Amino acid sequence: MSHVPHELHEEFPEAAEKLHQLKIGDSHFARLADEYHNINREVHRIETDVAPASDEVLEDLKKKRLF
């Protein structure tokens, strides 16, 4: 199990500028990026034992993070 936060700009450093432009220029992308960020933050909190959750909840969040 990885305890590394998977922020978009860290996962795709070569596309950091494009991600930024999409966030400020495309409201749909911005909403999706915010949703990803919130889910990702919750996954990281669970993986680092900051927030308790069952294995099923963690797996569901990880699946949501993929979409």
Side-chain angles (χ1 to χ4, degrees), residues 4-47:
V4 177
H6 296 277
E7 297 297 332
L8 288 175
H9 67 279
E10 293 171 351
E11 293 294 310
F12 305 101
E14 71 285 353
E17 181 59 30
K18 182 65 175 174
L19 289 168
H20 176 70
Q21 292 301 319
L22 283 168
K23 286 180 188 178
I24 61 173
D26 184 330
S27 61
H28 179 69
F29 183 85
R31 184 181 56 78
L32 292 174
D34 286 344
E35 187 176 315
Y36 173 88
H37 178 73
N38 291 333
I39 292 169
N40 188 53
R41 183 180 325 141
E42 188 61 24
V43 167
H44 185 64
R45 289 174 51 80
I46 293 168
E47 287 181 337

mmCIF file of all heavy atoms in Angstrom, residues 4-47:
data_model
loop_
_atom_site.group_PDB
_atom_site.id
_atom_site.type_symbol
_atom_site.label_atom_id
_atom_site.label_comp_id
_atom_site.label_asym_id
_atom_site.label_seq_id
_atom_site.Cartn_x
_atom_site.Cartn_y
_atom_site.Cartn_z
ATOM 1 N N VAL A 4 1.602 7.619 -0.631
ATOM 2 C CA VAL A 4 1.972 8.805 -1.384
ATOM 3 C C VAL A 4 0.701 9.461 -1.920
ATOM 4 O O VAL A 4 -0.108 8.797 -2.558
ATOM 5 C CB VAL A 4 2.895 8.426 -2.563
ATOM 6 C CG1 VAL A 4 3.228 9.628 -3.403
ATOM 7 C CG2 VAL A 4 4.145 7.746 -2.052
ATOM 8 N N PRO A 5 0.530 10.749 -1.658
ATOM 9 C CA PRO A 5 -0.640 11.419 -2.248
ATOM 10 C C PRO A 5 -0.460 11.511 -3.764
ATOM 11 O O PRO A 5 0.618 11.834 -4.246
ATOM 12 C CB PRO A 5 -0.636 12.798 -1.601
ATOM 13 C CG PRO A 5 0.739 13.004 -1.112
ATOM 14 C CD PRO A 5 1.332 11.645 -0.861
ATOM 15 N N HIS A 6 -1.478 11.212 -4.493
ATOM 16 C CA HIS A 6 -1.409 11.185 -5.949
ATOM 17 C C HIS A 6 -2.028 12.452 -6.532
ATOM 18 O O HIS A 6 -3.060 12.409 -7.184
ATOM 19 C CB HIS A 6 -2.127 9.954 -6.493
ATOM 20 C CG HIS A 6 -1.481 8.670 -6.082
ATOM 21 N ND1 HIS A 6 -0.404 8.147 -6.760
ATOM 22 C CD2 HIS A 6 -1.730 7.824 -5.068
ATOM 23 C CE1 HIS A 6 -0.027 7.024 -6.176
ATOM 24 N NE2 HIS A 6 -0.805 6.810 -5.149
ATOM 25 N N GLU A 7 -1.368 13.571 -6.317
ATOM 26 C CA GLU A 7 -1.857 14.828 -6.866
ATOM 27 C C GLU A 7 -1.613 14.841 -8.374
ATOM 28 O O GLU A 7 -0.604 14.323 -8.859
ATOM 29 C CB GLU A 7 -1.153 16.012 -6.209
ATOM 30 C CG GLU A 7 -1.419 16.134 -4.715
ATOM 31 C CD GLU A 7 -2.879 16.385 -4.376
ATOM 32 O OE1 GLU A 7 -3.610 16.980 -5.201
ATOM 33 O OE2 GLU A 7 -3.291 15.984 -3.286
ATOM 34 N N LEU A 8 -2.539 15.416 -9.115
ATOM 35 C CA LEU A 8 -2.440 15.404 -10.571
ATOM 36 C C LEU A 8 -1.138 16.012 -11.078
ATOM 37 O O LEU A 8 -0.495 15.458 -11.973
ATOM 38 C CB LEU A 8 -3.633 16.138 -11.191
ATOM 39 C CG LEU A 8 -4.975 15.424 -11.101
ATOM 40 C CD1 LEU A 8 -6.089 16.322 -11.636
ATOM 41 C CD2 LEU A 8 -4.937 14.108 -11.844
ATOM 42 N N HIS A 9 -0.749 17.145 -10.519
ATOM 43 C CA HIS A 9 0.478 17.794 -10.995
ATOM 44 C C HIS A 9 1.729 16.981 -10.672
ATOM 45 O O HIS A 9 2.751 17.121 -11.336
ATOM 46 C CB HIS A 9 0.600 19.219 -10.446
ATOM 47 C CG HIS A 9 0.801 19.281 -8.974
ATOM 48 N ND1 HIS A 9 -0.240 19.160 -8.081
ATOM 49 C CD2 HIS A 9 1.912 19.444 -8.235
ATOM 50 C CE1 HIS A 9 0.236 19.238 -6.851
ATOM 51 N NE2 HIS A 9 1.536 19.407 -6.914
ATOM 52 N N GLU A 10 1.659 16.119 -9.662
ATOM 53 C CA GLU A 10 2.787 15.246 -9.341
ATOM 54 C C GLU A 10 2.780 13.986 -10.211
ATOM 55 O O GLU A 10 3.835 13.467 -10.558
ATOM 56 C CB GLU A 10 2.758 14.862 -7.865
ATOM 57 C CG GLU A 10 3.014 16.038 -6.949
ATOM 58 C CD GLU A 10 2.766 15.715 -5.487
ATOM 59 O OE1 GLU A 10 2.235 14.634 -5.183
ATOM 60 O OE2 GLU A 10 3.098 16.568 -4.651
ATOM 61 N N GLU A 11 1.587 13.523 -10.544
ATOM 62 C CA GLU A 11 1.472 12.341 -11.399
ATOM 63 C C GLU A 11 1.839 12.664 -12.843
ATOM 64 O O GLU A 11 2.342 11.811 -13.567
ATOM 65 C CB GLU A 11 0.046 11.785 -11.341
ATOM 66 C CG GLU A 11 -0.346 11.203 -9.995
ATOM 67 C CD GLU A 11 0.458 9.963 -9.651
ATOM 68 O OE1 GLU A 11 0.567 9.041 -10.483
ATOM 69 O OE2 GLU A 11 0.999 9.924 -8.528
ATOM 70 N N PHE A 12 1.567 13.896 -13.261
ATOM 71 C CA PHE A 12 1.822 14.321 -14.637
ATOM 72 C C PHE A 12 2.598 15.636 -14.656
ATOM 73 O O PHE A 12 2.090 16.668 -15.104
ATOM 74 C CB PHE A 12 0.499 14.485 -15.394
ATOM 75 C CG PHE A 12 -0.365 13.256 -15.354
ATOM 76 C CD1 PHE A 12 -1.445 13.173 -14.483
ATOM 77 C CD2 PHE A 12 -0.090 12.173 -16.183
ATOM 78 C CE1 PHE A 12 -2.240 12.041 -14.440
ATOM 79 C CE2 PHE A 12 -0.879 11.038 -16.145
ATOM 80 C CZ PHE A 12 -1.959 10.964 -15.270
ATOM 81 N N PRO A 13 3.845 15.621 -14.175
ATOM 82 C CA PRO A 13 4.598 16.876 -14.087
ATOM 83 C C PRO A 13 4.822 17.548 -15.438
ATOM 84 O O PRO A 13 4.869 18.778 -15.521
ATOM 85 C CB PRO A 13 5.923 16.459 -13.443
ATOM 86 C CG PRO A 13 6.024 14.999 -13.670
ATOM 87 C CD PRO A 13 4.629 14.475 -13.746
ATOM 88 N N GLU A 14 4.903 16.751 -16.496
ATOM 89 C CA GLU A 14 5.114 17.321 -17.822
ATOM 90 C C GLU A 14 3.883 18.073 -18.323
ATOM 91 O O GLU A 14 3.966 18.868 -19.251
ATOM 92 C CB GLU A 14 5.504 16.231 -18.828
ATOM 93 C CG GLU A 14 4.397 15.270 -19.201
ATOM 94 C CD GLU A 14 4.039 14.217 -18.152
ATOM 95 O OE1 GLU A 14 4.723 14.106 -17.122
ATOM 96 O OE2 GLU A 14 3.057 13.504 -18.368
ATOM 97 N N ALA A 15 2.742 17.838 -17.699
ATOM 98 C CA ALA A 15 1.495 18.479 -18.111
ATOM 99 C C ALA A 15 0.995 19.496 -17.080
ATOM 100 O O ALA A 15 -0.149 19.919 -17.150
ATOM 101 C CB ALA A 15 0.424 17.417 -18.348
ATOM 102 N N ALA A 16 1.843 19.887 -16.161
ATOM 103 C CA ALA A 16 1.420 20.790 -15.084
ATOM 104 C C ALA A 16 0.830 22.086 -15.621
ATOM 105 O O ALA A 16 -0.223 22.541 -15.146
ATOM 106 C CB ALA A 16 2.584 21.075 -14.149
ATOM 107 N N GLU A 17 1.462 22.675 -16.613
ATOM 108 C CA GLU A 17 0.951 23.935 -17.173
ATOM 109 C C GLU A 17 -0.390 23.716 -17.874
ATOM 110 O O GLU A 17 -1.315 24.522 -17.728
ATOM 111 C CB GLU A 17 1.964 24.544 -18.133
ATOM 112 C CG GLU A 17 1.507 25.853 -18.739
ATOM 113 C CD GLU A 17 1.207 26.944 -17.725
ATOM 114 O OE1 GLU A 17 1.832 26.958 -16.638
ATOM 115 O OE2 GLU A 17 0.329 27.786 -17.999
ATOM 116 N N LYS A 18 -0.512 22.639 -18.620
ATOM 117 C CA LYS A 18 -1.776 22.330 -19.307
ATOM 118 C C LYS A 18 -2.879 22.077 -18.284
ATOM 119 O O LYS A 18 -4.016 22.545 -18.464
ATOM 120 C CB LYS A 18 -1.592 21.114 -20.221
ATOM 121 C CG LYS A 18 -2.820 20.744 -20.994
ATOM 122 C CD LYS A 18 -3.194 21.827 -21.984
ATOM 123 C CE LYS A 18 -4.362 21.398 -22.843
ATOM 124 N NZ LYS A 18 -4.843 22.458 -23.707
ATOM 125 N N LEU A 19 -2.576 21.359 -17.211
ATOM 126 C CA LEU A 19 -3.566 21.126 -16.155
ATOM 127 C C LEU A 19 -4.028 22.454 -15.559
ATOM 128 O O LEU A 19 -5.231 22.659 -15.341
ATOM 129 C CB LEU A 19 -2.984 20.230 -15.060
ATOM 130 C CG LEU A 19 -2.759 18.768 -15.431
ATOM 131 C CD1 LEU A 19 -1.924 18.074 -14.364
ATOM 132 C CD2 LEU A 19 -4.085 18.060 -15.622
ATOM 133 N N HIS A 20 -3.095 23.339 -15.312
ATOM 134 C CA HIS A 20 -3.437 24.655 -14.763
ATOM 135 C C HIS A 20 -4.348 25.422 -15.721
ATOM 136 O O HIS A 20 -5.362 25.995 -15.306
ATOM 137 C CB HIS A 20 -2.163 25.451 -14.481
ATOM 138 C CG HIS A 20 -2.424 26.833 -14.012
ATOM 139 N ND1 HIS A 20 -2.960 27.111 -12.768
ATOM 140 C CD2 HIS A 20 -2.252 28.028 -14.629
ATOM 141 C CE1 HIS A 20 -3.101 28.409 -12.646
ATOM 142 N NE2 HIS A 20 -2.677 28.995 -13.760
ATOM 143 N N GLN A 21 -3.994 25.423 -17.005
ATOM 144 C CA GLN A 21 -4.809 26.123 -17.995
ATOM 145 C C GLN A 21 -6.208 25.529 -18.085
ATOM 146 O O GLN A 21 -7.198 26.264 -18.200
ATOM 147 C CB GLN A 21 -4.130 26.089 -19.367
ATOM 148 C CG GLN A 21 -2.857 26.890 -19.448
ATOM 149 C CD GLN A 21 -3.069 28.360 -19.118
ATOM 150 O OE1 GLN A 21 -4.052 28.965 -19.529
ATOM 151 N NE2 GLN A 21 -2.157 28.918 -18.342
ATOM 152 N N LEU A 22 -6.310 24.223 -18.035
ATOM 153 C CA LEU A 22 -7.622 23.580 -18.071
ATOM 154 C C LEU A 22 -8.449 23.941 -16.837
ATOM 155 O O LEU A 22 -9.653 24.179 -16.942
ATOM 156 C CB LEU A 22 -7.468 22.063 -18.172
ATOM 157 C CG LEU A 22 -7.102 21.536 -19.548
ATOM 158 C CD1 LEU A 22 -6.685 20.071 -19.454
ATOM 159 C CD2 LEU A 22 -8.264 21.701 -20.512
ATOM 160 N N LYS A 23 -7.811 23.991 -15.674
ATOM 161 C CA LYS A 23 -8.535 24.325 -14.446
ATOM 162 C C LYS A 23 -9.112 25.732 -14.487
ATOM 163 O O LYS A 23 -10.205 25.968 -13.985
ATOM 164 C CB LYS A 23 -7.629 24.182 -13.228
ATOM 165 C CG LYS A 23 -7.356 22.756 -12.842
ATOM 166 C CD LYS A 23 -6.446 22.708 -11.626
ATOM 167 C CE LYS A 23 -5.990 21.311 -11.330
ATOM 168 N NZ LYS A 23 -5.068 21.267 -10.187
ATOM 169 N N ILE A 24 -8.381 26.672 -15.089
ATOM 170 C CA ILE A 24 -8.888 28.047 -15.113
ATOM 171 C C ILE A 24 -9.757 28.328 -16.336
ATOM 172 O O ILE A 24 -10.557 29.256 -16.312
ATOM 173 C CB ILE A 24 -7.749 29.089 -15.017
ATOM 174 C CG1 ILE A 24 -6.789 28.980 -16.187
ATOM 175 C CG2 ILE A 24 -7.023 28.974 -13.700
ATOM 176 C CD1 ILE A 24 -5.745 30.082 -16.221
ATOM 177 N N GLY A 25 -9.651 27.509 -17.375
ATOM 178 C CA GLY A 25 -10.390 27.787 -18.593
ATOM 179 C C GLY A 25 -11.555 26.873 -18.891
ATOM 180 O O GLY A 25 -12.337 27.147 -19.793
ATOM 181 N N ASP A 26 -11.686 25.798 -18.153
ATOM 182 C CA ASP A 26 -12.735 24.813 -18.429
ATOM 183 C C ASP A 26 -13.416 24.449 -17.113
ATOM 184 O O ASP A 26 -12.862 23.716 -16.297
ATOM 185 C CB ASP A 26 -12.099 23.583 -19.081
ATOM 186 C CG ASP A 26 -13.101 22.526 -19.510
ATOM 187 O OD1 ASP A 26 -14.164 22.396 -18.868
ATOM 188 O OD2 ASP A 26 -12.799 21.802 -20.479
ATOM 189 N N SER A 27 -14.617 24.960 -16.920
ATOM 190 C CA SER A 27 -15.309 24.753 -15.640
ATOM 191 C C SER A 27 -15.611 23.279 -15.375
ATOM 192 O O SER A 27 -15.584 22.835 -14.220
ATOM 193 C CB SER A 27 -16.590 25.579 -15.571
ATOM 194 O OG SER A 27 -17.485 25.207 -16.600
ATOM 195 N N HIS A 28 -15.882 22.521 -16.419
ATOM 196 C CA HIS A 28 -16.149 21.088 -16.237
ATOM 197 C C HIS A 28 -14.887 20.380 -15.750
ATOM 198 O O HIS A 28 -14.928 19.592 -14.798
ATOM 199 C CB HIS A 28 -16.649 20.469 -17.542
ATOM 200 C CG HIS A 28 -16.921 19.004 -17.446
ATOM 201 N ND1 HIS A 28 -17.966 18.490 -16.705
ATOM 202 C CD2 HIS A 28 -16.283 17.945 -17.987
ATOM 203 C CE1 HIS A 28 -17.951 17.168 -16.796
ATOM 204 N NE2 HIS A 28 -16.937 16.810 -17.565
ATOM 205 N N PHE A 29 -13.760 20.673 -16.394
ATOM 206 C CA PHE A 29 -12.494 20.080 -15.956
ATOM 207 C C PHE A 29 -12.169 20.512 -14.533
ATOM 208 O O PHE A 29 -11.716 19.698 -13.721
ATOM 209 C CB PHE A 29 -11.346 20.457 -16.892
ATOM 210 C CG PHE A 29 -10.050 19.811 -16.504
ATOM 211 C CD1 PHE A 29 -9.742 18.536 -16.924
ATOM 212 C CD2 PHE A 29 -9.144 20.477 -15.689
ATOM 213 C CE1 PHE A 29 -8.549 17.925 -16.553
ATOM 214 C CE2 PHE A 29 -7.949 19.875 -15.306
ATOM 215 C CZ PHE A 29 -7.658 18.602 -15.748
ATOM 216 N N ALA A 30 -12.393 21.778 -14.215
ATOM 217 C CA ALA A 30 -12.110 22.282 -12.871
ATOM 218 C C ALA A 30 -12.930 21.533 -11.830
ATOM 219 O O ALA A 30 -12.413 21.170 -10.767
ATOM 220 C CB ALA A 30 -12.404 23.778 -12.797
ATOM 221 N N ARG A 31 -14.196 21.270 -12.145
ATOM 222 C CA ARG A 31 -15.046 20.529 -11.212
ATOM 223 C C ARG A 31 -14.529 19.102 -11.037
ATOM 224 O O ARG A 31 -14.448 18.595 -9.906
ATOM 225 C CB ARG A 31 -16.492 20.515 -11.697
ATOM 226 C CG ARG A 31 -17.455 19.834 -10.727
ATOM 227 C CD ARG A 31 -18.883 19.803 -11.238
ATOM 228 N NE ARG A 31 -19.032 19.170 -12.543
ATOM 229 C CZ ARG A 31 -19.037 17.859 -12.744
ATOM 230 N NH1 ARG A 31 -18.872 17.023 -11.751
ATOM 231 N NH2 ARG A 31 -19.197 17.369 -13.961
ATOM 232 N N LEU A 32 -14.169 18.460 -12.132
ATOM 233 C CA LEU A 32 -13.634 17.096 -12.052
ATOM 234 C C LEU A 32 -12.314 17.061 -11.279
ATOM 235 O O LEU A 32 -12.082 16.141 -10.478
ATOM 236 C CB LEU A 32 -13.428 16.518 -13.453
ATOM 237 C CG LEU A 32 -14.691 16.234 -14.250
ATOM 238 C CD1 LEU A 32 -14.321 15.799 -15.666
ATOM 239 C CD2 LEU A 32 -15.553 15.186 -13.572
ATOM 240 N N ALA A 33 -11.459 18.038 -11.511
ATOM 241 C CA ALA A 33 -10.178 18.103 -10.803
ATOM 242 C C ALA A 33 -10.398 18.315 -9.310
ATOM 243 O O ALA A 33 -9.710 17.696 -8.485
ATOM 244 C CB ALA A 33 -9.307 19.215 -11.381
ATOM 245 N N ASP A 34 -11.357 19.160 -8.952
ATOM 246 C CA ASP A 34 -11.677 19.377 -7.534
ATOM 247 C C ASP A 34 -12.219 18.109 -6.894
ATOM 248 O O ASP A 34 -11.861 17.766 -5.766
ATOM 249 C CB ASP A 34 -12.690 20.509 -7.370
ATOM 250 C CG ASP A 34 -12.093 21.875 -7.601
ATOM 251 O OD1 ASP A 34 -10.852 22.000 -7.598
ATOM 252 O OD2 ASP A 34 -12.883 22.825 -7.792
ATOM 253 N N GLU A 35 -13.085 17.403 -7.622
ATOM 254 C CA GLU A 35 -13.635 16.147 -7.118
ATOM 255 C C GLU A 35 -12.515 15.120 -6.913
ATOM 256 O O GLU A 35 -12.456 14.448 -5.885
ATOM 257 C CB GLU A 35 -14.679 15.620 -8.097
ATOM 258 C CG GLU A 35 -15.440 14.421 -7.606
ATOM 259 C CD GLU A 35 -16.515 14.007 -8.586
ATOM 260 O OE1 GLU A 35 -17.239 14.885 -9.091
ATOM 261 O OE2 GLU A 35 -16.629 12.785 -8.825
ATOM 262 N N TYR A 36 -11.622 15.016 -7.901
ATOM 263 C CA TYR A 36 -10.477 14.113 -7.780
ATOM 264 C C TYR A 36 -9.645 14.476 -6.548
ATOM 265 O O TYR A 36 -9.269 13.613 -5.759
ATOM 266 C CB TYR A 36 -9.604 14.179 -9.040
ATOM 267 C CG TYR A 36 -8.331 13.390 -8.901
ATOM 268 C CD1 TYR A 36 -8.293 12.039 -9.222
ATOM 269 C CD2 TYR A 36 -7.161 13.987 -8.417
ATOM 270 C CE1 TYR A 36 -7.126 11.302 -9.074
ATOM 271 C CE2 TYR A 36 -6.001 13.252 -8.264
ATOM 272 C CZ TYR A 36 -5.988 11.919 -8.598
ATOM 273 O OH TYR A 36 -4.844 11.195 -8.436
ATOM 274 N N HIS A 37 -9.371 15.767 -6.387
ATOM 275 C CA HIS A 37 -8.554 16.234 -5.269
ATOM 276 C C HIS A 37 -9.193 15.852 -3.927
ATOM 277 O O HIS A 37 -8.502 15.375 -3.014
ATOM 278 C CB HIS A 37 -8.355 17.741 -5.355
ATOM 279 C CG HIS A 37 -7.579 18.305 -4.219
ATOM 280 N ND1 HIS A 37 -6.221 18.116 -4.073
ATOM 281 C CD2 HIS A 37 -7.973 19.034 -3.149
ATOM 282 C CE1 HIS A 37 -5.812 18.702 -2.960
ATOM 283 N NE2 HIS A 37 -6.856 19.268 -2.394
ATOM 284 N N ASN A 38 -10.492 16.049 -3.799
ATOM 285 C CA ASN A 38 -11.178 15.726 -2.547
ATOM 286 C C ASN A 38 -11.149 14.228 -2.255
ATOM 287 O O ASN A 38 -10.891 13.815 -1.119
ATOM 288 C CB ASN A 38 -12.614 16.236 -2.585
ATOM 289 C CG ASN A 38 -12.685 17.739 -2.550
ATOM 290 O OD1 ASN A 38 -11.799 18.408 -2.025
ATOM 291 N ND2 ASN A 38 -13.733 18.294 -3.120
ATOM 292 N N ILE A 39 -11.406 13.423 -3.261
ATOM 293 C CA ILE A 39 -11.362 11.965 -3.085
ATOM 294 C C ILE A 39 -9.942 11.528 -2.772
ATOM 295 O O ILE A 39 -9.706 10.727 -1.861
ATOM 296 C CB ILE A 39 -11.894 11.237 -4.333
ATOM 297 C CG1 ILE A 39 -13.395 11.490 -4.491
ATOM 298 C CG2 ILE A 39 -11.618 9.736 -4.249
ATOM 299 C CD1 ILE A 39 -13.949 11.048 -5.826
ATOM 300 N N ASN A 40 -8.993 12.070 -3.498
ATOM 301 C CA ASN A 40 -7.590 11.726 -3.293
ATOM 302 C C ASN A 40 -7.134 12.075 -1.881
ATOM 303 O O ASN A 40 -6.419 11.310 -1.237
ATOM 304 C CB ASN A 40 -6.731 12.447 -4.332
ATOM 305 C CG ASN A 40 -5.310 11.999 -4.291
ATOM 306 O OD1 ASN A 40 -5.030 10.812 -4.355
ATOM 307 N ND2 ASN A 40 -4.408 12.940 -4.156
ATOM 308 N N ARG A 41 -7.551 13.230 -1.396
ATOM 309 C CA ARG A 41 -7.186 13.649 -0.040
ATOM 310 C C ARG A 41 -7.764 12.670 0.988
ATOM 311 O O ARG A 41 -7.085 12.286 1.938
ATOM 312 C CB ARG A 41 -7.707 15.058 0.241
ATOM 313 C CG ARG A 41 -7.275 15.549 1.613
ATOM 314 C CD ARG A 41 -7.763 16.931 1.957
ATOM 315 N NE ARG A 41 -7.826 17.830 0.829
ATOM 316 C CZ ARG A 41 -8.807 18.705 0.655
ATOM 317 N NH1 ARG A 41 -9.790 18.793 1.513
ATOM 318 N NH2 ARG A 41 -8.805 19.506 -0.386
ATOM 319 N N GLU A 42 -8.997 12.245 0.775
ATOM 320 C CA GLU A 42 -9.615 11.297 1.709
ATOM 321 C C GLU A 42 -8.897 9.944 1.671
ATOM 322 O O GLU A 42 -8.655 9.339 2.720
ATOM 323 C CB GLU A 42 -11.099 11.126 1.390
ATOM 324 C CG GLU A 42 -11.848 10.314 2.410
ATOM 325 C CD GLU A 42 -11.850 10.917 3.805
ATOM 326 O OE1 GLU A 42 -11.679 12.143 3.960
ATOM 327 O OE2 GLU A 42 -12.027 10.146 4.782
ATOM 328 N N VAL A 43 -8.535 9.469 0.496
ATOM 329 C CA VAL A 43 -7.782 8.216 0.380
ATOM 330 C C VAL A 43 -6.468 8.331 1.143
ATOM 331 O O VAL A 43 -6.107 7.435 1.914
ATOM 332 C CB VAL A 43 -7.517 7.858 -1.105
ATOM 333 C CG1 VAL A 43 -6.472 6.754 -1.233
ATOM 334 C CG2 VAL A 43 -8.809 7.455 -1.792
ATOM 335 N N HIS A 44 -5.777 9.426 0.956
ATOM 336 C CA HIS A 44 -4.496 9.620 1.640
ATOM 337 C C HIS A 44 -4.684 9.666 3.159
ATOM 338 O O HIS A 44 -3.892 9.077 3.905
ATOM 339 C CB HIS A 44 -3.822 10.898 1.142
ATOM 340 C CG HIS A 44 -2.461 11.104 1.708
ATOM 341 N ND1 HIS A 44 -1.414 10.252 1.461
ATOM 342 C CD2 HIS A 44 -1.977 12.057 2.528
ATOM 343 C CE1 HIS A 44 -0.345 10.675 2.103
ATOM 344 N NE2 HIS A 44 -0.654 11.770 2.764
ATOM 345 N N ARG A 45 -5.726 10.325 3.624
ATOM 346 C CA ARG A 45 -5.999 10.387 5.065
ATOM 347 C C ARG A 45 -6.261 8.991 5.636
ATOM 348 O O ARG A 45 -5.808 8.666 6.725
ATOM 349 C CB ARG A 45 -7.184 11.313 5.353
ATOM 350 C CG ARG A 45 -6.885 12.784 5.129
ATOM 351 C CD ARG A 45 -8.113 13.672 5.289
ATOM 352 N NE ARG A 45 -8.843 13.466 6.518
ATOM 353 C CZ ARG A 45 -8.506 13.962 7.711
ATOM 354 N NH1 ARG A 45 -7.434 14.712 7.817
ATOM 355 N NH2 ARG A 45 -9.240 13.710 8.773
ATOM 356 N N ILE A 46 -6.975 8.172 4.893
ATOM 357 C CA ILE A 46 -7.268 6.807 5.348
ATOM 358 C C ILE A 46 -5.990 5.967 5.340
ATOM 359 O O ILE A 46 -5.695 5.252 6.302
ATOM 360 C CB ILE A 46 -8.361 6.165 4.477
ATOM 361 C CG1 ILE A 46 -9.700 6.884 4.699
ATOM 362 C CG2 ILE A 46 -8.495 4.671 4.785
ATOM 363 C CD1 ILE A 46 -10.768 6.525 3.683
ATOM 364 N N GLU A 47 -5.222 6.069 4.263
ATOM 365 C CA GLU A 47 -3.998 5.266 4.152
ATOM 366 C C GLU A 47 -2.965 5.626 5.211
ATOM 367 O O GLU A 47 -2.164 4.773 5.606
ATOM 368 C CB GLU A 47 -3.379 5.430 2.770
ATOM 369 C CG GLU A 47 -4.143 4.739 1.682
ATOM 370 C CD GLU A 47 -3.497 4.890 0.319
ATOM 371 O OE1 GLU A 47 -2.731 5.842 0.109
ATOM 372 O OE2 GLU A 47 -3.776 4.030 -0.531
#
